[in-house]
Amino acid sequence: MRLEIGNFLVRDIQFGASTVFENGVLTINKEEAIAFLKDADEHLTEVDLQVARPGESVRIVPVKEAIEPRTRVGAEHPVFPGVTGEVFQVGEGRTHALKGMSVLAVGKHWGSFGDGLIDMAGEGAKFTYYSQLVNLCLVADTDEAFERNEQQKKNHALRWAAHRLAEYLGNTVKEQTPESVEVFELEPVTKRSTEMNALPSVVYVMQPQSQMEEMGYNDLLYGWDLNHFIPTFMHPNEVLDGALISGSFMPCSSKWATYDFQNNPTIKRLYDEHGKSLNFLGVIMSNLNVSLEQKRRSAQFVAKMAKLLGADGAVLAEEGYGNPDADFIECFVELENAGVKTVGITNECTGRDGKSQPLVTLDDKANAIVSCGNVSELIKLPPMDVVIGELAALGRDGLSGGWEDDEKLGPSVREDGSIILENNSMFCGDQVCGWSPKTMAEF
């Protein structure tokens, strides 16, 4: 499979008379875009579009999703099969992408356990990759009143609207010539050269969020809720090309946004090393489960698949912490028992003082783990000049990492607009997919 991604760098977003991409500027007819979204879903009651640029004194909360705008060239297929259109296999052909920007789904009023915060400037900007992008914020409310007072929200109308908007904007470059083209191509596993097979063979094992047994919260693969999934061998191009979208459930610093799947840095780095230092076999897409029996079954499937593929090593990444740690460690142990040397990537939950056990469960065989940070780290941030969304949501609505009041620390949101929160609330802040700039300090 050969995938070409044609890149168009967005240097700024403006509103104007027509929706067009020219000379690095994405101009959007706001009224037409809003009408398009409302026509597609009657559940959207209030819709606005706002732009947040790197370095601006802007705070965005509650953020629910991030997507890179894209379009398919030479075909009318949807960018996200099974979600914004019919199911078909992705990962080959030509896709055009608007780089350097994202579409953010932002709640106008109602936050949720899986929502997060982005600061576009100051100390807070370093805690999330999305502060580096020009962000088009889809700020909306819906008539989904049945979940307004629920801590867990599916946010279906708003998240789907953001995916539709990303396709709508991606169409501006469908017929244009890209500034650069990335090519992703792997030979069939059984038909590689002697020289390639002499290199260490490596698989990337992904564990996307799939714990919720009620449908509508989990990550989706070709529109299929991953709670119904068993480990499957996939081509990495499928991940990069829209096969997966993010769910609404996950403490937010641990979340993998759809943007993270589309631009997965670990996959891109494995591609970079393919044929040089390693033989990249592909992706084993796994899941996260509820019962111990389910966790063991999935781990055994992953290890069996890796062994049959001839993997010498594996990179293992989990979306989340807490209960998912059991899946992560179980999979780690099974891979090591199968003779597959494994490196894990995850964040930790070591408490506000940093002294708690980092993962819910541990094992001696999980002896090579890259830490992406402590979800419970306390962060204090000054006020921002502009808030997109509603700042009160951080403490009021059960966002992981925020609180209404604390006997020692007081409320998350102070009267002057300054905030105190746990790293948990930073939107996709720990970047287990490979963006994280964090490192360990030795004392």
Side-chain angles (χ1 to χ4, degrees):
M1 294 171 66
R2 177 185 173 92
L3 172 66
E4 297 179 357
I5 298 182
N7 296 321
F8 299 78
L9 180 60
V10 177
R11 295 169 176 84
D12 195 17
I13 300 173
Q14 300 176 358
F15 296 115
S18 58
T19 299
V20 63
F21 178 79
E22 291 180 337
N23 301 317
V25 177
L26 177 64
T27 302
I28 302 169
N29 184 314
K30 182 189 284 193
E31 292 72 24
E32 287 184 1
I34 290 174
F36 164 77
L37 294 171
K38 284 191 167 183
D39 286 346
D41 193 337
E42 62 183 6
H43 295 291
L44 295 171
T45 57
E46 299 178 62
V47 181
D48 191 19
L49 299 176
Q50 300 181 47
V51 181
R53 302 173 180 87
E56 293 182 337
S57 182
V58 174
R59 177 164 289 151
I60 314 168
V61 64
V63 184
K64 302 172 182 294
E65 170 68 298
I67 307 135
E68 183 172 80
R70 292 187 175 185
T71 187
R72 299 198 183 279
V73 179
E76 296 305 317
H77 292 309
V79 174
F80 303 105
V83 176
T84 55
E86 78 282 2
V87 176
F88 79 102
Q89 182 176 296
V90 299
E92 54 188 346
R94 172 71 76 93
T95 294
H96 283 177
L98 290 170
K99 311 300 288 188
M101 72 162 290
S102 79
V103 172
L104 297 180
V106 183
K108 191 174 182 68
H109 302 297
W110 308 100
S112 177
F113 176 75
D115 298 348
L117 178 145
I118 298 171
D119 272 3
M120 297 301 295
E123 176 71 9
K126 75 180 186 183
F127 288 95
T128 171
Y129 175 84
Y130 294 90
S131 63
Q132 304 172 42
L133 303 177
V134 182
N135 293 304
L136 179 66
C137 303
L138 168 59
V139 187
D141 199 5
T142 77
D143 65 3
E144 296 165 312
F146 63 92
E147 65 177 16
R148 279 186 177 168
N149 297 317
E150 298 294 327
Q151 187 182 32
Q152 302 286 1
K153 296 178 177 64
K154 298 177 183 179
N155 295 306
H156 184 274
L158 182 49
R159 291 194 297 123
W160 259 241
H163 287 87
R164 292 190 189 100
L165 180 58
E167 285 192 344
Y168 177 85
L169 298 175
N171 284 331
T172 61
V173 294
K174 193 177 187 78
E175 305 300 331
Q176 294 192 34
T177 301
E179 298 174 36
S180 63
V181 177
E182 296 176 277
V183 177
F184 302 97
E185 187 173 16
L186 284 182
E187 313 89 330
V189 173
T190 59
K191 296 183 179 180
R192 297 186 180 176
S193 67
T194 302
E195 293 76 18
M196 185 71 75
N197 287 328
L199 295 170
S201 295
V202 176
V203 291
Y204 181 35
V205 181
M206 301 180 69
Q207 295 179 312
Q209 178 51 233
S210 51
Q211 285 182 289
M212 296 294 280
E213 294 184 325
E214 182 180 337
M215 299 299 95
Y217 295 101
N218 297 310
D219 295 354
L220 302 181
L221 176 67
Y222 289 103
W224 190 16
D225 193 300
L226 282 165
N227 183 262
H228 292 164
F229 192 71
I230 60 172
T232 299
F233 183 59
M234 291 182 61
H235 199 290
N237 290 3
E238 295 177 89
V239 180
L240 298 176
D241 199 30
L244 287 119
I245 73 163
S246 176
S248 67
F249 170 73
M250 177 45 55
C252 205
S253 72
S254 306
K255 184 191 290 286
W256 294 349
T258 297
Y259 187 102
D260 296 321
F261 289 123
Q262 293 172 296
N263 294 278
N264 187 287
T266 302
I267 288 178
K268 290 189 174 183
R269 183 58 189 274
L270 288 167
Y271 256 118
D272 288 343
E273 294 300 320
H274 181 62
K276 300 173 185 175
S277 65
L278 56 85
N279 176 18
F280 183 23
L281 297 174
V283 172
I284 298 177
M285 191 63 62
S286 189
N287 56 352
L288 297 169
N289 302 280
V290 178
S291 74
L292 184 58
E293 181 184 30
Q294 292 170 342
K295 295 175 189 293
R296 287 174 174 164
R297 182 185 297 116
S298 286
Q300 289 166 10
F301 266 73
V302 168
K304 174 180 63 178
M305 210 172 301
K307 188 173 182 179
L308 290 173
L309 286 166
D312 301 303
V315 178
L316 170 66
E318 66 165 328
E319 182 184 5
Y321 69 92
N323 191 299
D325 292 344
D327 300 80
F328 179 71
I329 294 299
E330 191 74 25
C331 195
F332 217 124
V333 170
E334 291 293 340
L335 284 164
E336 288 282 340
N337 286 343
V340 181
K341 298 297 183 183
T342 302
V343 173
I345 307 176
T346 186
N347 53 12
E348 308 173 50
C349 185
T350 55
R352 293 176 179 176
D353 60 3
K355 296 180 180 179
S356 298
Q357 179 171 306
L359 303 178
V360 166
T361 182
L362 294 167
D363 191 280
D364 289 344
K365 291 181 179 178
N367 60 4
I369 296 178
V370 178
S371 172
C372 297
N374 175 17
V375 301
S376 303
E377 177 186 356
L378 279 175
I379 302 167
K380 297 179 181 180
L381 299 172
M384 287 283 160
D385 293 341
V386 175
V387 173
I388 295 177
E390 190 174 35
L391 185 57
L394 173 63
R396 182 194 63 207
D397 297 334
L399 271 67
S400 54
W403 55 86
E404 273 201 284
D405 198 18
D406 182 279
E407 61 181 17
K408 293 182 179 179
L409 300 172
S412 273
V413 180
R414 308 295 170 83
E415 290 185 3
D416 65 352
S418 63
I419 57 175
I420 181 170
L421 67 163
E422 291 183 353
N423 176 52
N424 246 327
S425 286
M426 288 299 180
F427 183 73
C428 300
D430 293 333
Q431 301 294 358
V432 175
C433 277
W435 302 107
S436 180
K438 300 174 185 177
T439 188
M440 302 297 293
E442 194 170 315
F443 294 94

